[in-house]
Structures are given as C-alpha cells and as structure tokens.
Amino acid sequence: MNVKGAAEYLGLSPHTLYVWRHRRQGPPSFRMGPRGRVMYRRSALDAWVREQERSDSRSNSELSPLSTPPQQRPDRDHRSV
C-alpha cells in the first residue's frame, strides 16, 4: 500500500511516516516503480505493530518496572566524622 494507505491503516499522518522513513524509524518500506513510490506491505505493518507492543512496558508485563521488586538502598553509616 502507498504512504497514505499505510498511514490510515496505522492511524497516523502520512507526514509522520515520511519523517520516520527519513530517520530510518518506523515500519519497513520500499520504493516501487519508475517513479520510486514509497510502499508498505500490510504484513510488515502488522509485524511492526506487534514489535511495538512487545517493547512497550505498558502492554508487556515482563518489561514493566512495577513487576520487579523494589531494590533496597545499602545501609550507610550516617555518623559524622
């Protein structure tokens, strides 16, 4: 699909996809045809979304800082020298 279709599919603006592509971020894309139109495969968009879900601590409990026990500070001797 083209940039506009991919943006609609992801719920983003086409400008966001252009910026991400320029920064080499976002879902994988490729150029197609004599005019070099930027295109996206739906399967690549779906895989990219799944990857985002796995790397986000809000949707992946294994990454959540709330799922690990709090660390204790080492005891220090607070007496004056």
Side-chain angles (χ1 to χ4, degrees):
M1 65 180 73
N2 63 19
V3 173
K4 183 178 177 185
E8 288 175 8
Y9 185 74
L10 294 172
L12 303 168
S13 73
H15 177 74
T16 298
L17 286 181
Y18 279 118
V19 170
W20 285 353
R21 181 175 165 79
H22 177 74
R23 293 180 181 170
R24 299 185 188 280
Q25 298 173 328
S29 60
F30 61 96
R31 292 196 171 270
M32 185 174 80
R35 295 175 62 192
R37 297 186 80 181
V38 175
M39 302 294 286
Y40 294 85
R41 291 188 188 278
R42 181 169 294 164
S43 60
L45 296 176
D46 292 338
W48 182 80
V49 168
R50 283 191 301 275
E51 182 181 316
Q52 300 307 300
E53 289 173 336
R54 283 192 300 270
S55 65
D56 184 357
S57 63
R58 290 171 290 186
S59 60
N60 185 340
S61 60
E62 292 177 13
L63 299 176
S64 174
L66 301 175
S67 65
T68 58
Q71 296 180 352
Q72 299 293 324
R73 291 185 177 175
D75 288 334
R76 293 189 179 181
D77 190 358
H78 293 289
R79 288 181 276 159
S80 302
V81 179

Coordinates of all heavy atoms in Angstrom, one line a residue:
M1 N 0.8 -1.2 0.0 CA 0.0 0.0 0.0 C 0.9 1.2 0.0 O 2.0 1.2 0.4 CB -1.0 0.0 1.2 CG -0.4 0.0 2.5 SD -1.6 0.0 3.9 CE -2.1 -1.7 3.8
N2 N 0.3 2.3 -0.4 CA 1.1 3.6 -0.5 C 1.2 4.2 0.9 O 0.6 3.7 1.9 CB 0.6 4.5 -1.6 CG -0.9 5.0 -1.2 OD1 -1.3 4.9 -0.1 ND2 -1.5 5.5 -2.3
V3 N 1.9 5.4 1.0 CA 2.0 6.1 2.3 C 0.7 6.5 2.9 O 0.5 6.3 4.1 CB 3.0 7.3 2.1 CG1 3.0 8.1 3.4 CG2 4.4 6.9 1.7
K4 N -0.2 7.0 2.0 CA -1.5 7.4 2.6 C -2.3 6.2 3.1 O -2.8 6.3 4.2 CB -2.3 8.1 1.5 CG -3.6 8.6 1.9 CD -4.4 9.4 0.8 CE -5.7 9.8 1.3 NZ -6.5 10.4 0.3
G5 N -2.3 5.1 2.4 CA -3.0 3.9 2.9 C -2.4 3.4 4.1 O -3.1 3.0 5.1
A6 N -1.0 3.4 4.2 CA -0.4 2.8 5.4 C -0.6 3.7 6.6 O -0.8 3.3 7.7 CB 1.1 2.7 5.1
A7 N -0.6 5.0 6.4 CA -0.9 6.0 7.5 C -2.3 5.8 8.0 O -2.5 5.8 9.2 CB -0.7 7.4 7.0
E8 N -3.3 5.6 7.1 CA -4.6 5.4 7.5 C -4.7 4.1 8.3 O -5.4 4.0 9.3 CB -5.6 5.4 6.3 CG -5.8 6.7 5.7 CD -6.6 6.7 4.4 OE1 -7.2 5.6 4.1 OE2 -6.7 7.7 3.8
Y9 N -4.1 3.1 7.8 CA -4.1 1.7 8.4 C -3.5 1.8 9.8 O -4.1 1.1 10.7 CB -3.3 0.8 7.6 CG -3.3 -0.7 8.0 CD1 -4.5 -1.4 7.8 CD2 -2.2 -1.3 8.6 CE1 -4.5 -2.8 8.2 CE2 -2.2 -2.6 9.0 CZ -3.4 -3.3 8.8 OH -3.4 -4.6 9.2
L10 N -2.5 2.6 10.0 CA -1.9 2.7 11.4 C -2.5 3.8 12.2 O -2.1 3.9 13.4 CB -0.4 3.0 11.2 CG 0.5 1.9 10.5 CD1 1.9 2.4 10.3 CD2 0.5 0.6 11.4
G11 N -3.3 4.6 11.6 CA -3.9 5.7 12.4 C -2.9 6.9 12.6 O -3.0 7.6 13.6
L12 N -2.1 7.1 11.7 CA -1.1 8.1 11.7 C -1.2 9.1 10.5 O -2.0 8.8 9.6 CB 0.4 7.5 11.6 CG 0.7 6.5 12.7 CD1 2.0 5.8 12.3 CD2 0.9 7.2 14.0
S13 N -0.5 10.2 10.6 CA -0.5 11.1 9.4 C 0.6 10.6 8.4 O 1.6 10.0 8.8 CB -0.2 12.5 9.8 OG 1.2 12.6 10.2
P14 N 0.4 10.8 7.1 CA 1.4 10.5 6.1 C 2.7 11.2 6.5 O 3.8 10.6 6.3 CB 0.8 11.0 4.8 CG -0.6 10.9 5.0 CD -0.9 11.3 6.5
H15 N 2.6 12.4 7.0 CA 3.9 13.2 7.3 C 4.7 12.4 8.4 O 5.9 12.3 8.3 CB 3.5 14.6 7.9 CG 4.7 15.3 8.3 ND1 5.6 15.9 7.4 CD2 5.2 15.6 9.6 CE1 6.5 16.5 8.1 NE2 6.3 16.4 9.4
T16 N 4.0 11.8 9.4 CA 4.7 11.0 10.4 C 5.5 9.9 9.7 O 6.7 9.7 10.1 CB 3.7 10.5 11.4 OG1 3.1 11.6 12.1 CG2 4.4 9.6 12.4
L17 N 4.9 9.2 8.8 CA 5.6 8.1 8.1 C 6.8 8.6 7.3 O 7.8 8.0 7.3 CB 4.6 7.3 7.2 CG 3.6 6.4 8.0 CD1 2.8 5.7 7.0 CD2 4.4 5.4 8.8
Y18 N 6.6 9.7 6.6 CA 7.7 10.3 5.9 C 8.9 10.7 6.8 O 10.1 10.4 6.5 CB 7.3 11.5 5.1 CG 6.6 11.2 3.8 CD1 5.3 11.6 3.6 CD2 7.2 10.6 2.8 CE1 4.6 11.3 2.4 CE2 6.6 10.3 1.6 CZ 5.3 10.7 1.4 OH 4.6 10.4 0.2
V19 N 8.6 11.3 8.0 CA 9.6 11.6 8.9 C 10.3 10.4 9.5 O 11.5 10.3 9.5 CB 9.0 12.5 10.1 CG1 10.1 12.7 11.2 CG2 8.6 13.8 9.6
W20 N 9.5 9.4 9.8 CA 10.1 8.1 10.3 C 11.0 7.5 9.3 O 12.1 7.0 9.6 CB 9.0 7.2 10.8 CG 8.4 7.5 12.1 CD1 8.7 8.5 13.0 CD2 7.3 6.9 12.7 NE1 7.9 8.5 14.0 CE2 7.0 7.5 13.9 CE3 6.4 5.8 12.3 CZ2 5.9 7.1 14.7 CZ3 5.4 5.4 13.1 CH2 5.2 6.1 14.3
R21 N 10.5 7.5 8.1 CA 11.3 6.9 7.0 C 12.7 7.6 6.8 O 13.7 7.0 6.7 CB 10.6 6.9 5.7 CG 11.3 6.2 4.5 CD 10.4 6.2 3.3 NE 11.2 5.9 2.1 CZ 11.7 4.7 1.7 NH1 11.4 3.7 2.5 NH2 12.4 4.6 0.6
H22 N 12.6 8.9 6.9 CA 13.8 9.8 6.8 C 14.8 9.5 7.9 O 16.0 9.4 7.7 CB 13.4 11.2 6.7 CG 14.6 12.1 6.7 ND1 15.4 12.3 5.6 CD2 15.2 12.9 7.7 CE1 16.4 13.2 5.8 NE2 16.3 13.5 7.1
R23 N 14.3 9.2 9.1 CA 15.1 8.9 10.3 C 15.4 7.5 10.4 O 16.0 7.1 11.4 CB 14.3 9.4 11.5 CG 14.2 10.9 11.6 CD 13.4 11.2 12.9 NE 13.2 12.7 13.0 CZ 12.5 13.2 13.9 NH1 11.8 12.5 14.8 NH2 12.4 14.5 13.9
R24 N 15.0 6.7 9.4 CA 15.2 5.2 9.5 C 14.5 4.6 10.7 O 15.1 3.7 11.4 CB 16.6 4.8 9.4 CG 17.3 5.3 8.1 CD 18.7 4.8 8.0 NE 19.4 5.4 6.8 CZ 19.3 5.0 5.6 NH1 18.5 4.1 5.3 NH2 19.9 5.7 4.6
Q25 N 13.3 5.1 11.0 CA 12.5 4.5 12.1 C 11.2 4.0 11.5 O 11.0 4.2 10.3 CB 12.2 5.6 13.1 CG 13.4 6.2 13.8 CD 13.0 7.4 14.7 OE1 12.1 8.1 14.4 NE2 13.7 7.6 15.8
G26 N 10.3 3.5 12.3 CA 9.0 3.1 11.9 C 9.0 1.8 11.1 O 10.0 1.1 11.0
P27 N 7.9 1.5 10.5 CA 7.7 0.2 9.8 C 8.6 0.2 8.5 O 8.9 1.2 7.9 CB 6.2 0.2 9.4 CG 5.8 1.6 9.5 CD 6.7 2.3 10.5
P28 N 9.0 -1.0 8.1 CA 9.8 -1.1 6.9 C 9.0 -0.7 5.6 O 7.8 -1.0 5.5 CB 10.2 -2.6 6.9 CG 9.3 -3.3 7.8 CD 8.8 -2.3 8.8
S29 N 9.7 -0.1 4.7 CA 9.1 0.3 3.5 C 10.0 0.1 2.3 O 11.2 -0.3 2.6 CB 8.7 1.8 3.5 OG 9.9 2.6 3.8
F30 N 9.6 0.3 1.1 CA 10.4 0.1 -0.1 C 9.9 1.0 -1.2 O 8.8 1.5 -1.1 CB 10.4 -1.4 -0.5 CG 9.1 -1.9 -0.9 CD1 8.7 -1.9 -2.2 CD2 8.2 -2.4 0.1 CE1 7.4 -2.4 -2.6 CE2 6.9 -2.8 -0.3 CZ 6.5 -2.9 -1.6
R31 N 10.8 1.2 -2.1 CA 10.4 2.0 -3.3 C 10.0 1.1 -4.4 O 10.6 0.0 -4.7 CB 11.6 2.9 -3.7 CG 11.8 4.0 -2.7 CD 12.7 5.1 -3.3 NE 12.8 6.2 -2.4 CZ 11.9 7.2 -2.4 NH1 10.9 7.3 -3.3 NH2 12.1 8.2 -1.6
M32 N 9.0 1.5 -5.2 CA 8.5 0.6 -6.3 C 8.2 1.5 -7.5 O 7.7 2.6 -7.4 CB 7.2 -0.1 -5.8 CG 6.7 -1.1 -6.8 SD 5.3 -2.0 -6.2 CE 4.0 -0.9 -6.4
G33 N 8.5 0.9 -8.7 CA 8.1 1.6 -9.9 C 9.1 2.6 -10.4 O 10.0 3.0 -9.7
P34 N 8.9 3.1 -11.6 CA 9.8 4.1 -12.2 C 9.9 5.4 -11.5 O 10.9 6.1 -11.5 CB 9.3 4.3 -13.6 CG 7.9 3.8 -13.6 CD 7.8 2.8 -12.5
R35 N 8.8 5.7 -10.8 CA 8.8 7.0 -10.0 C 9.3 6.8 -8.6 O 9.4 7.7 -7.8 CB 7.4 7.6 -10.0 CG 7.0 8.0 -11.4 CD 5.6 8.5 -11.5 NE 5.4 9.7 -10.7 CZ 4.2 10.2 -10.3 NH1 3.1 9.6 -10.8 NH2 4.1 11.3 -9.6
G36 N 9.6 5.6 -8.2 CA 10.1 5.3 -6.9 C 9.1 5.6 -5.8 O 9.5 6.1 -4.7
R37 N 7.9 5.2 -5.9 CA 6.9 5.5 -4.9 C 7.2 4.6 -3.7 O 7.5 3.5 -3.8 CB 5.5 5.2 -5.4 CG 5.1 6.0 -6.6 CD 3.7 5.8 -7.0 NE 2.9 6.6 -6.0 CZ 1.6 6.6 -6.0 NH1 0.9 5.9 -6.9 NH2 0.9 7.3 -5.1
V38 N 7.0 5.2 -2.5 CA 7.2 4.5 -1.2 C 6.0 3.7 -1.0 O 4.9 4.1 -1.0 CB 7.5 5.5 -0.1 CG1 7.6 4.8 1.2 CG2 8.7 6.4 -0.3
M39 N 6.3 2.4 -0.7 CA 5.2 1.5 -0.5 C 5.5 0.7 0.8 O 6.6 0.6 1.3 CB 5.1 0.5 -1.6 CG 4.9 1.1 -3.0 SD 3.3 1.9 -3.1 CE 2.3 0.5 -3.3
Y40 N 4.4 0.1 1.4 CA 4.4 -0.7 2.6 C 3.6 -2.0 2.4 O 2.6 -1.9 1.7 CB 3.8 0.1 3.8 CG 4.5 1.3 4.2 CD1 4.3 2.5 3.5 CD2 5.5 1.3 5.2 CE1 5.0 3.7 3.9 CE2 6.2 2.4 5.6 CZ 5.9 3.6 5.0 OH 6.6 4.7 5.3
R41 N 4.1 -3.1 2.9 CA 3.4 -4.3 2.9 C 2.5 -4.4 4.2 O 3.0 -4.1 5.3 CB 4.3 -5.5 2.9 CG 5.1 -5.7 1.6 CD 5.8 -7.0 1.6 NE 6.7 -7.1 0.4 CZ 6.3 -7.5 -0.8 NH1 5.0 -7.8 -1.0 NH2 7.1 -7.5 -1.8
R42 N 1.3 -4.8 4.0 CA 0.4 -4.9 5.2 C 1.0 -5.9 6.2 O 1.0 -5.6 7.4 CB -1.0 -5.4 4.8 CG -1.9 -5.5 6.0 CD -3.3 -5.7 5.6 NE -3.7 -4.4 4.9 CZ -4.8 -4.3 4.1 NH1 -5.5 -5.3 3.9 NH2 -5.0 -3.2 3.5
S43 N 1.6 -7.0 5.8 CA 2.2 -7.9 6.7 C 3.4 -7.3 7.5 O 3.6 -7.5 8.7 CB 2.7 -9.2 6.0 OG 3.7 -8.8 5.0
A44 N 4.1 -6.4 6.9 CA 5.2 -5.7 7.5 C 4.7 -4.7 8.6 O 5.3 -4.5 9.6 CB 6.1 -5.0 6.5
L45 N 3.6 -4.0 8.2 CA 3.0 -3.1 9.2 C 2.5 -3.8 10.4 O 2.7 -3.4 11.5 CB 1.8 -2.3 8.5 CG 2.2 -1.4 7.3 CD1 0.9 -0.8 6.7 CD2 3.2 -0.4 7.8
D46 N 1.8 -5.0 10.2 CA 1.3 -5.8 11.3 C 2.4 -6.3 12.2 O 2.3 -6.2 13.4 CB 0.5 -7.0 10.8 CG -0.9 -6.5 10.1 OD1 -1.3 -5.4 10.4 OD2 -1.4 -7.3 9.3
A47 N 3.5 -6.7 11.6 CA 4.7 -7.2 12.3 C 5.3 -6.1 13.1 O 5.7 -6.3 14.3 CB 5.7 -7.8 11.4
W48 N 5.4 -4.9 12.5 CA 5.9 -3.7 13.2 C 5.1 -3.4 14.4 O 5.6 -3.1 15.5 CB 6.1 -2.6 12.2 CG 6.7 -1.4 12.8 CD1 8.0 -1.1 13.1 CD2 6.0 -0.2 13.3 NE1 8.2 0.1 13.6 CE2 6.9 0.7 13.8 CE3 4.6 0.1 13.4 CZ2 6.6 1.9 14.3 CZ3 4.3 1.4 13.9 CH2 5.3 2.2 14.4
V49 N 3.8 -3.4 14.3 CA 2.9 -3.1 15.4 C 3.0 -4.1 16.5 O 3.1 -3.7 17.7 CB 1.4 -3.0 14.9 CG1 0.4 -3.0 16.1 CG2 1.2 -1.8 14.0
R50 N 3.1 -5.4 16.2 CA 3.4 -6.4 17.2 C 4.7 -6.2 17.9 O 4.8 -6.3 19.1 CB 3.3 -7.8 16.6 CG 2.0 -8.3 16.3 CD 1.9 -9.8 15.9 NE 2.8 -10.1 14.7 CZ 2.4 -10.0 13.5 NH1 1.2 -9.6 13.2 NH2 3.2 -10.3 12.5
E51 N 5.7 -5.8 17.2 CA 7.0 -5.5 17.8 C 6.9 -4.3 18.8 O 7.5 -4.3 19.8 CB 8.0 -5.2 16.7 CG 9.4 -4.9 17.2 CD 10.3 -4.5 16.0 OE1 10.3 -5.2 15.0 OE2 11.1 -3.6 16.2
Q52 N 6.1 -3.3 18.4 CA 5.9 -2.1 19.3 C 5.2 -2.5 20.5 O 5.6 -2.1 21.6 CB 5.1 -1.0 18.6 CG 5.8 -0.5 17.3 CD 7.2 0.0 17.5 OE1 7.4 0.9 18.3 NE2 8.1 -0.6 16.8
E53 N 4.2 -3.4 20.4 CA 3.5 -3.9 21.6 C 4.4 -4.7 22.5 O 4.4 -4.5 23.7 CB 2.3 -4.8 21.2 CG 1.2 -4.1 20.5 CD 0.2 -5.0 20.0 OE1 0.5 -6.2 19.7 OE2 -1.0 -4.5 19.8
R54 N 5.3 -5.5 22.0 CA 6.2 -6.3 22.8 C 7.3 -5.4 23.5 O 7.7 -5.8 24.6 CB 6.9 -7.4 22.0 CG 6.1 -8.5 21.6 CD 6.9 -9.7 21.0 NE 7.6 -9.3 19.8 CZ 7.1 -9.5 18.6 NH1 5.9 -9.9 18.4 NH2 7.8 -9.1 17.5
S55 N 7.6 -4.3 22.9 CA 8.7 -3.5 23.5 C 8.1 -2.4 24.4 O 8.9 -1.6 25.0 CB 9.5 -2.8 22.4 OG 8.8 -1.9 21.6
D56 N 6.8 -2.3 24.6 CA 6.2 -1.3 25.4 C 5.8 -1.9 26.8 O 5.1 -2.9 26.9 CB 4.9 -0.8 24.7 CG 4.3 0.4 25.5 OD1 4.8 0.7 26.6 OD2 3.3 0.9 25.0
S57 N 6.4 -1.3 27.8 CA 6.2 -1.9 29.2 C 4.7 -1.8 29.6 O 4.3 -2.6 30.5 CB 7.1 -1.2 30.2 OG 6.7 0.2 30.3
R58 N 3.9 -1.0 29.0 CA 2.5 -0.9 29.4 C 1.7 -2.1 28.9 O 0.7 -2.4 29.5 CB 1.9 0.4 29.0 CG 2.5 1.6 29.7 CD 2.0 2.9 29.1 NE 2.7 3.0 27.8 CZ 2.7 4.0 27.0 NH1 2.0 5.1 27.3 NH2 3.4 4.1 25.9
S59 N 2.2 -2.7 27.8 CA 1.4 -3.8 27.3 C 2.2 -5.1 27.4 O 1.7 -6.2 27.1 CB 1.1 -3.6 25.8 OG 2.2 -3.4 25.1
N60 N 3.4 -5.0 28.0 CA 4.2 -6.2 28.2 C 4.6 -6.3 29.7 O 5.6 -5.6 30.1 CB 5.5 -6.2 27.3 CG 6.3 -7.5 27.4 OD1 6.1 -8.2 28.3 ND2 7.1 -7.7 26.4
S61 N 3.9 -7.0 30.5 CA 4.2 -7.1 31.9 C 5.6 -7.5 32.3 O 6.1 -7.1 33.3 CB 3.2 -8.0 32.6 OG 3.3 -9.3 32.1
E62 N 6.3 -8.2 31.4 CA 7.7 -8.6 31.7 C 8.6 -7.4 31.7 O 9.7 -7.4 32.3 CB 8.2 -9.6 30.7 CG 7.4 -11.0 30.8 CD 7.9 -11.9 29.7 OE1 8.9 -11.7 29.1 OE2 7.2 -13.0 29.6
L63 N 8.3 -6.3 31.0 CA 9.1 -5.2 30.9 C 8.7 -4.1 31.9 O 9.4 -3.1 32.1 CB 9.0 -4.5 29.5 CG 9.5 -5.4 28.3 CD1 9.3 -4.7 27.0 CD2 11.0 -5.8 28.5
S64 N 7.6 -4.3 32.6 CA 7.1 -3.3 33.5 C 8.0 -3.1 34.7 O 8.3 -4.1 35.4 CB 5.7 -3.6 33.9 OG 5.2 -2.7 34.9
P65 N 8.4 -1.9 35.0 CA 9.2 -1.8 36.3 C 8.4 -2.1 37.5 O 9.0 -2.4 38.6 CB 9.6 -0.3 36.2 CG 8.6 0.4 35.3 CD 8.2 -0.7 34.3
L66 N 7.1 -2.1 37.4 CA 6.2 -2.5 38.6 C 6.2 -4.0 38.8 O 5.8 -4.4 39.9 CB 4.8 -2.0 38.3 CG 4.7 -0.5 38.1 CD1 3.2 -0.1 37.8 CD2 5.2 0.3 39.3
S67 N 6.7 -4.8 37.9 CA 6.7 -6.2 38.1 C 7.9 -6.7 38.8 O 8.0 -7.9 39.1 CB 6.5 -7.0 36.8 OG 7.6 -6.7 35.9
T68 N 8.9 -5.9 39.1 CA 10.1 -6.3 39.7 C 10.1 -5.7 41.2 O 9.6 -4.6 41.4 CB 11.4 -5.8 39.0 OG1 11.3 -4.4 38.9 CG2 11.5 -6.4 37.6
P69 N 10.6 -6.5 42.1 CA 10.6 -6.0 43.5 C 11.5 -4.8 43.6 O 12.5 -4.6 42.9 CB 11.2 -7.2 44.3 CG 11.8 -8.1 43.3 CD 11.2 -7.8 42.0
P70 N 11.1 -3.9 44.5 CA 12.0 -2.7 44.7 C 13.3 -3.0 45.2 O 13.5 -4.0 46.0 CB 11.2 -1.8 45.7 CG 10.2 -2.7 46.3 CD 10.0 -3.9 45.4
Q71 N 14.3 -2.3 44.8 CA 15.7 -2.5 45.3 C 15.9 -1.7 46.6 O 15.4 -0.6 46.7 CB 16.7 -2.1 44.3 CG 16.6 -2.9 43.0 CD 17.7 -2.4 42.0 OE1 18.3 -1.4 42.2 NE2 17.8 -3.1 40.9
Q72 N 16.6 -2.3 47.5 CA 16.9 -1.7 48.8 C 18.2 -0.9 48.7 O 19.2 -1.4 48.1 CB 17.0 -2.7 49.9 CG 15.7 -3.5 50.1 CD 14.6 -2.6 50.6 OE1 14.9 -1.7 51.4 NE2 13.4 -2.9 50.2
R73 N 18.2 0.3 49.2 CA 19.5 1.0 49.3 C 20.4 0.4 50.3 O 19.9 -0.1 51.4 CB 19.2 2.5 49.7 CG 18.5 3.2 48.6 CD 18.4 4.7 49.0 NE 17.8 5.4 48.0 CZ 17.5 6.7 48.1 NH1 17.7 7.4 49.2 NH2 16.9 7.3 47.1
P74 N 21.7 0.4 50.0 CA 22.6 -0.2 51.0 C 22.6 0.7 52.3 O 22.5 1.9 52.2 CB 23.9 -0.2 50.3 CG 23.8 0.7 49.2 CD 22.3 0.8 48.9
D75 N 22.7 0.1 53.5 CA 22.8 0.8 54.7 C 24.1 1.6 54.7 O 25.2 1.0 54.4 CB 22.7 -0.1 55.9 CG 21.3 -0.6 56.1 OD1 20.3 0.1 55.7 OD2 21.1 -1.7 56.7
R76 N 24.0 2.8 55.1 CA 25.3 3.6 55.2 C 25.4 4.1 56.7 O 24.4 4.4 57.3 CB 25.2 4.8 54.3 CG 25.3 4.4 52.8 CD 25.4 5.6 52.0 NE 25.5 5.1 50.6 CZ 25.7 5.9 49.6 NH1 25.8 7.2 49.8 NH2 25.8 5.5 48.4
D77 N 26.6 4.2 57.1 CA 26.8 4.8 58.4 C 26.7 6.3 58.3 O 27.5 6.9 57.6 CB 28.2 4.3 58.9 CG 28.4 4.7 60.4 OD1 27.5 5.3 61.0 OD2 29.5 4.3 60.9
H78 N 25.7 6.9 59.0 CA 25.4 8.3 58.8 C 26.1 9.1 60.0 O 25.7 10.3 60.2 CB 23.9 8.6 58.8 CG 23.3 8.0 57.6 ND1 23.4 8.6 56.4 CD2 22.4 6.9 57.4 CE1 22.7 7.9 55.5 NE2 22.1 6.9 56.1
R79 N 27.0 8.5 60.7 CA 27.7 9.3 61.8 C 28.7 10.3 61.2 O 29.3 10.0 60.2 CB 28.5 8.3 62.7 CG 27.5 7.5 63.6 CD 28.3 6.6 64.5 NE 28.6 5.4 63.7 CZ 29.6 4.5 63.9 NH1 30.4 4.7 65.0 NH2 29.8 3.5 63.2
S80 N 28.8 11.4 61.8 CA 29.7 12.4 61.4 C 31.1 12.0 61.7 O 31.4 11.3 62.6 CB 29.4 13.7 62.1 OG 28.1 14.2 61.9
V81 N 32.0 12.5 60.9 CA 33.4 12.2 61.0 C 34.1 13.1 61.9 O 33.9 14.2 62.1 CB 34.2 12.1 59.7 CG1 35.6 11.8 59.9 CG2 33.5 11.1 58.8

